Amino acid sequence: MFNELDRNHALTLEIDTLFNNAGIMESGPMVEIPMSVFRSVFETNVFAALELAQGFARKMVRRGSGRIVWTSSVAGLVKVPFDGAYAASKHAVEGICSAMHEELKPYGVEVVTVNPGAYRTGFNDTGMESMDQWWGHGERVVEHWPVRELDKQHDPAEMIEAIIGVIEAEHPPYRTVRPESAEAMVKREQDEVWKQGL
């Protein structure tokens, strides 16, 4: 919720669970992406989401119960060349969530994440195309990234089921990554980072 009026109205409600799902994706190499585009990603994915979470967290702390479910991403756990702005915003979400999780636990408020991989929702498709809006407006020092085939995306029903499970569970795990192949990939890549040289 980026709109202040919408956010203020939402905060008049009493809820048990906040599903914090706002997100946009802008692609492009880090050396070329316009700062205004980069900032817009953080404005929606990080700052607006945190502001909404803060508002509801305060209400939950006063009540002594509640759950905040953040939509992070597999991109918040691994490297994602040419989607660095989106990945950076989701790495920021991971940092926020890990802090909030520990800070709010003593007050009976749970903070957890769901981390989707690639699903057939159209989100990844439009995100990949987004850099074409600004690419031709200036001199570039690196090549335009090759178009990736998005033919290995998964059925979103799997992620929807996982999210419902996290919302309804008595004690959900802190992190829920889907599909399972993405979870294995994340663990493998994080392990490789500690071992790699230049």
Side-chain angles (χ1 to χ4, degrees), residues 24-26 30 38 41-42 45-46 72-94:
I24 59 172
M25 179 192 288
E26 296 283 353
M30 295 304 297
F38 193 91
V41 173
F42 268 71
N45 296 4
V46 181
S72 179
S73 172
V74 167
L77 303 170
V78 297
K79 63 180 179 294
V80 190
F82 299 100
D83 277 329
Y86 177 73
S89 74
K90 292 303 185 177
H91 276 74
V93 165
E94 288 290 327

Side-chain angles (χ1 to χ4, degrees), residues 16-171:
D16 298 316
T17 300
L18 169 63
F19 178 45
N20 214 2
N21 189 49
I24 59 172
M25 179 192 288
E26 296 283 353
S27 60
M30 295 304 297
V31 71
E32 301 283 12
I33 191 166
M35 288 306 299
S36 61
V37 174
F38 193 91
R39 286 189 179 98
S40 73
V41 173
F42 268 71
E43 198 61 56
T44 298
N45 296 4
V46 181
F47 304 130
L50 176 58
E51 195 166 3
L52 186 65
Q54 285 179 328
F56 278 111
R58 290 186 184 105
K59 293 163 72 84
M60 292 174 178
V61 165
R62 291 188 189 105
R63 191 176 65 223
S65 66
R67 180 175 298 167
I68 301 173
V69 181
W70 284 75
T71 299
S72 179
S73 172
V74 167
L77 303 170
V78 297
K79 63 180 179 294
V80 190
F82 299 100
D83 277 329
Y86 177 73
S89 74
K90 292 303 185 177
H91 276 74
V93 165
E94 288 290 327
I96 290 166
C97 290
S98 63
M100 287 187 84
H101 176 79
E102 294 301 320
E103 293 164 358
L104 298 183
K105 192 189 310 183
Y107 300 96
V109 180
E110 298 173 304
V111 178
V112 299
T113 72
V114 292
N115 297 66
Y119 285 96
R120 290 190 302 272
T121 62
F123 182 79
N124 298 302
D125 307 68
T126 56
M128 281 181 56
E129 296 167 358
S130 63
M131 68 181 285
D132 293 331
Q133 297 174 13
W134 51 263
W135 184 263
H137 301 282
E139 183 182 353
R140 304 295 168 208
V141 297
V142 299
E143 295 294 325
H144 189 292
W145 68 327
V147 176
R148 292 185 300 198
E149 294 296 327
L150 292 173
D151 56 356
K152 293 182 173 58
Q153 296 185 91
H154 298 264
D155 183 347
E158 175 186 28
M159 194 70 234
I160 294 167
E161 183 180 352
I163 291 168
I164 292 170
V166 168
I167 291 170
E168 294 182 342
E170 187 173 351
H171 300 291

Side-chain angles (χ1 to χ4, degrees), residues 6-17:
D6 288 342
R7 182 171 55 248
N8 290 342
H9 173 69
L11 290 171
T12 66
L13 305 173
E14 289 297 327
I15 63 172
D16 298 316
T17 300

